[in-house]
Amino acid sequence: MGILITGANGQLGQELTYLYPGAIAMDQAELDITNKEAILGFDWTKINTIINAAAHTNVDGAETLDGSIAAWQVNALGIANLAAVAKAKNITLVHISTEYVFDGAKTGFYTENDYINPQGVYARSKAAGDLAAAGAPNHYILRTSWVVGKGHNFVKTMLKLGAEKEVVGVVTDQKGRPTFANDLAAAIKHLLEHNVAFGTYNFSNSGHVVSWHEFTKAIFKAANFNCQVLPTTTTTFAAGKEYFAPRPANSALDLTKIQATGLKIRDWNDALIEYIYKETKK
Ligand SMILES: NC(=O)c1ccc[n+]([C@@H]2O[C@H](COP(=O)([O-])OP(=O)(O)OC[C@H]3O[C@@H](n4cnc5c(N)ncnc54)[C@H](OP(=O)(O)O)[C@@H]3O)[C@@H](O)[C@H]2O)c1
């Protein structure tokens, strides 16, 4: 199987590159998905699968003028470029989406069939990317939430704060489940290897739905930190920030569809303990 990984330096891109040592892994400098000429000029003869891990993920930054342009370029137009090539050359396109395509107002888990209603610029650009990706006949779109891998992420931020501070305030009014990037990469491999029906699939780790506040408590417990976690609200957290994107209050994704393909999904707390062990022994 000839695999091209785009956005190879991101959290997911790094895990995919590790999981697929034989793949062609390109970072932004090597293959910019917004560059149509570069995409058209790429040698596709040995590629039958594109796994796109490239994205503009600065959610608050996307609310600025420049950030908005960049988010639409990468998350929408970039995906349209990949989908056009995938369609023309009969290539399978794997694309990663987000629970931000939902408004978060639902009670209970979001299924793949729920209506999308993206709220911020990043969310809208990602929703447009989903529609573009679906233009490739052979596509998998994986909707995911709260990604944690080798890069900038919430767990790393909290490990830093928890080591430095005695008290942190974390929001209680956004709930969801984390997704560890190595498990997301393994889920992609599972879909590809088992010739699962094309379409959209939710993926996060399994386990309890938690608020960021509860997640932080689990992080500090796993890291053996004594830092106290005080409850706060999104409104308080956003106060004074010049640019702040709306966040879904409910990010919980229903996993029934992907589990029905035979995928076993780890509880996020088990993945967290492993992640913190690796991070803290560095
Ligand atoms: N992070 C989350 O919490 C979260 C939640 C839900 C869904 N997702 C989705 O999950 C996927 C993976 O996220 P992630 O956390 O791995 O993201 P990430 O760490 O921000 O990685 C994204 C990568 O894409 C690269 N990139 C940006 N513009 C590009 C371009 N024009 N051409 C090629 N590469 C480009 C970036 O390169 P540079 O480093 O050079 O900018 C970066 O290496 C994304 O689709 C994201 O929207 C993420």
Side-chain angles (χ1 to χ4, degrees):
M1 189 152 82
I3 295 180
L4 170 68
I5 300 165
T6 48
N9 268 352
Q11 298 198 85
L12 175 62
Q14 289 184 57
E15 296 299 341
L16 287 165
T17 304
Y18 176 75
L19 203 57
Y20 285 111
I24 299 174
M26 306 282 240
D27 64 20
Q28 182 172 188
E30 293 164 318
L31 187 62
D32 179 343
I33 65 166
T34 68
N35 186 336
K36 199 169 184 175
E37 285 70 40
I39 297 291
L40 290 175
F42 187 79
D43 178 8
W44 294 102
T45 46
K46 293 194 178 71
I47 304 296
N48 62 15
T49 304
I50 302 168
I51 310 180
N52 177 47
H56 188 278
T57 55
N58 183 348
V59 172
D60 292 328
E63 299 293 319
T64 67
L65 180 61
D66 288 349
S68 172
I69 291 168
W72 278 96
Q73 284 288 319
V74 181
N75 297 339
L77 291 170
I79 313 313
N81 289 339
L82 296 177
V85 161
K87 185 176 182 183
K89 300 189 183 295
N90 200 25
I91 290 170
T92 296
L93 175 62
V94 182
H95 178 59
I96 316 305
S97 180
T98 165
E99 90 284 14
Y100 271 59
V101 300
F102 301 119
D103 59 23
K106 181 178 178 178
T107 309
F109 294 93
Y110 277 100
T111 74
E112 290 80 354
N113 294 327
D114 278 310
Y115 293 115
I116 63 171
N117 187 23
Q119 296 300 300
V121 174
Y122 164 80
R124 293 192 181 108
S125 70
K126 289 292 291 184
D130 285 17
L131 300 179
N138 300 347
H139 70 265
Y140 293 108
I141 297 170
L142 283 97
R143 291 213 178 108
T144 189
S145 57
W146 300 16
V147 175
V148 180
K150 297 185 183 86
H152 177 69
N153 64 62
F154 183 82
V155 177
K156 278 200 184 162
T157 303
M158 284 303 151
L159 286 176
K160 188 167 180 297
L161 289 177
E164 291 167 3
K165 293 181 178 284
E166 288 180 2
V167 180
V168 293
V170 184
V171 303
T172 54
D173 54 359
Q174 295 168 42
K175 297 195 175 191
R177 290 191 284 200
T179 303
F180 284 81
N182 53 352
D183 290 335
L184 175 58
I188 292 168
K189 194 167 190 225
H190 167 88
L191 292 179
L192 289 169
E193 281 183 353
H194 292 84
N195 291 320
V196 169
F198 293 119
T200 300
Y201 293 85
N202 289 341
F203 182 82
S204 70
N205 281 96
S206 61
H208 291 302
V209 173
V210 281
S211 66
W212 288 112
H213 175 264
E214 291 164 314
F215 185 37
T216 306
K217 282 187 166 180
I219 294 167
F220 289 172
K221 187 176 175 202
N224 218 6
F225 286 170
N226 286 323
C227 183
Q228 200 187 348
V229 191
L230 295 182
T232 187
T233 63
T234 302
T235 308
T236 306
F237 178 66
K241 291 193 168 60
E242 201 177 352
Y243 300 102
F244 191 77
R247 281 117 161 102
N250 175 19
S251 286
L253 296 170
D254 182 271
L255 304 174
T256 311
K257 184 176 175 187
I258 200 161
Q259 284 171 324
T261 70
L263 182 69
K264 302 274 177 276
I265 307 180
R266 266 202 297 183
D267 188 302
W268 62 257
N269 202 45
D270 294 338
L272 174 68
I273 288 165
E274 181 191 273
Y275 181 87
I276 288 182
Y277 174 75
K278 284 182 185 163
E279 279 297 309
T280 49
K281 79 169 186 181
K282 274 181 193 167

